[in-house]
Amino acid sequence: MSGGGTETPVGCETAQGGGSKKRDSLGTAGSAHLIIKDLGEIHSRLLDHRPVIQGETRYFVKEFED
């Protein structure tokens, strides 16, 4: 019987700990979303060279036409 009594408090402790973990995971999910958004912006700035190439092309054509 003492084994059954021991399991009940452990179950309550687990439920309380689980509640705080849910709050932590929700906060982490929001943070993760912001991090992913920032990574996408960094990726586009570093690896998307289209604006640079388009500018260089316009400059070359303008110089060639003059």
Side-chain angles (χ1 to χ4, degrees), residues 5-50:
T6 305
E7 291 177 10
T8 304
V10 170
C12 292
E13 290 173 5
T14 303
Q16 291 172 355
S20 65
K21 286 182 182 178
K22 286 182 182 178
R23 279 186 251 142
D24 290 343
S25 67
L26 290 175
T28 304
S31 298
H33 177 70
L34 293 175
I35 291 170
I36 291 171
K37 184 178 178 182
D38 289 343
L39 285 176
E41 185 176 337
I42 291 168
H43 177 267
S44 67
R45 287 184 179 190
L46 290 176
L47 300 177
D48 186 12
H49 301 293
R50 283 180 279 162

Side-chain angles (χ1 to χ4, degrees), residues 57-66:
T57 304
R58 287 184 192 132
Y59 178 76
F60 176 77
V61 170
K62 186 183 286 185
E63 288 295 316
F64 185 74
E65 289 176 345
D66 290 342

